[in-house]
Amino acid sequence: MQIAKPIIYGTIATWLGRRSDEKKTHSWICYVRGANNEDLSYFIDKVIFVLHSSFENTNRVVSQHPFVIAETGWGQFDIIIKVYLKGDYDQPLIAVHPLKLYQNQTQNIPLTKKPVVSEQYDEIVFINPKPELLEILNAKPNQENNQVEEEVQVDQKEPDFEQMTPAQILKYNQPNFTVFDINESKATIEKAIQIVSQDILADYKRKNHQLDTEIQELQIEYENLQNKLSQTQQ
């Protein structure tokens, strides 16, 4: 028996305008959601979004619907998304999604404040699930959790995205995904490992450089003390 559950993950970024801080040029969200914006918490336990090492708290844990985080910044990078399933599953499903800030990726010039949406479609396939997990998978999504905090009029020409909550932005931007080949999961995991390895190496080099600097300072201080001692003996 096989049961497939479709999911969509991606990012929505909004340019904050020409007067924005140079290090906070965009606000953006990253999320995991159902193909029809339904609540997936009936079979997803939690989602961990792993951000670039320049952010504080690089591991963002979301354990309830909606599975979404919000941030501000200026640079594009790959976000590692770890999806933990309910039931007898210890290891997460891992995906890597690039944060996209610009419609024109070659010029990196924002033209309007219309959000830049970048999404991917995938399917989680359960093979011969245990009875307790099968019951969970056959349950219907909780429709009550799909309501956003406030209704958003989708017929507005230019809504104020800066004032909207992440849930409202998700509601406004209906799924517009491209098909993602599930067979690429191995390459995705390898890419995630590579990104994590690069961050660890960069952190090691930074700490090693700091240690070298401290050793040099101690050597200079030691030489100064030796000189003072020699002058005293003379």
Side-chain angles (χ1 to χ4, degrees):
M1 175 187 294
Q2 293 187 3
I3 297 179
K5 293 292 182 178
I7 64 169
I8 295 174
Y9 53 89
T11 60
I12 300 176
T14 305
W15 179 46
L16 298 179
R18 300 185 185 281
R19 296 184 179 181
S20 62
D21 187 298
E22 62 179 4
K23 292 185 178 180
K24 295 182 179 181
T25 60
H26 292 76
S27 64
W28 54 265
I29 63 173
C30 185
Y31 51 86
V32 174
R33 65 177 176 185
N36 297 304
N37 284 331
E38 67 271 23
D39 180 359
L40 300 180
S41 60
Y42 70 102
F43 73 90
I44 292 181
D45 183 51
K46 64 182 178 182
V47 177
I48 298 180
F49 300 89
V50 184
L51 307 184
H52 189 269
S53 58
S54 59
F55 285 84
E56 293 184 3
N57 182 22
T58 55
N59 291 273
R60 308 291 175 88
V61 182
V62 183
S63 55
Q64 61 184 9
H65 172 85
F67 298 106
V68 56
I69 61 168
E71 261 297 349
T72 57
W74 60 271
Q76 302 180 122
F77 59 94
D78 288 336
I79 301 175
I80 301 174
I81 302 173
K82 299 180 180 180
V83 179
Y84 290 81
L85 304 174
K86 291 184 177 180
D88 191 18
Y89 289 92
D90 295 328
Q91 298 299 319
L93 303 176
I94 299 176
V96 177
H97 188 80
L99 170 62
K100 183 179 178 181
L101 301 182
Y102 306 96
Q103 291 287 5
N104 189 334
Q105 294 297 97
T106 59
Q107 296 181 359
N108 288 358
I109 300 176
L111 301 177
T112 68
K113 288 189 176 182
K114 184 177 180 181
V116 177
V117 182
S118 174
E119 294 183 324
Q120 288 184 322
Y121 173 89
D122 204 345
E123 291 183 350
I124 301 175
V125 180
F126 299 85
I127 300 176
N128 297 324
K130 294 181 179 180
E132 56 271 21
L133 180 57
L134 181 61
E135 184 177 354
I136 292 175
L137 296 174
N138 287 332
K140 294 183 179 180
N142 185 357
Q143 298 298 330
E144 294 180 359
N145 288 341
N146 292 336
Q147 300 300 319
V148 297
E149 298 170 13
E150 298 178 6
E151 289 297 326
V152 180
Q153 298 298 324
V154 296
D155 57 349
Q156 300 179 59
K157 291 184 178 180
E158 190 65 30
D160 189 356
F161 291 100
E162 295 180 37
Q163 302 301 321
M164 293 165 62
T165 66
Q168 290 172 336
I169 295 175
L170 283 176
K171 183 71 174 180
Y172 184 89
N173 289 275
Q174 296 301 316
N176 180 26
F177 53 81
T178 56
V179 175
F180 176 73
D181 186 359
I182 197 170
N183 293 324
E184 294 180 0
S185 58
K186 181 179 179 181
T188 297
I189 294 175
E190 291 176 350
K191 188 175 182 180
I193 293 174
Q194 182 181 8
I195 293 172
V196 173
S197 299
Q198 289 174 349
D199 286 343
I200 293 174
L201 180 60
D203 185 59
Y204 171 79
K205 288 182 177 179
R206 184 178 68 254
K207 290 180 179 178
N208 191 46
H209 176 72
Q210 183 179 358
L211 183 60
D212 288 340
T213 302
E214 291 176 355
I215 292 174
Q216 291 176 2
E217 291 175 350
L218 287 173
Q219 288 177 339
I220 293 173
E221 185 177 351
Y222 174 77
E223 291 174 359
N224 290 336
L225 289 174
Q226 287 284 67
N227 292 333
K228 289 181 180 179
L229 180 60
S230 299
Q231 293 173 1
T232 303
Q233 291 175 346
Q234 291 177 358

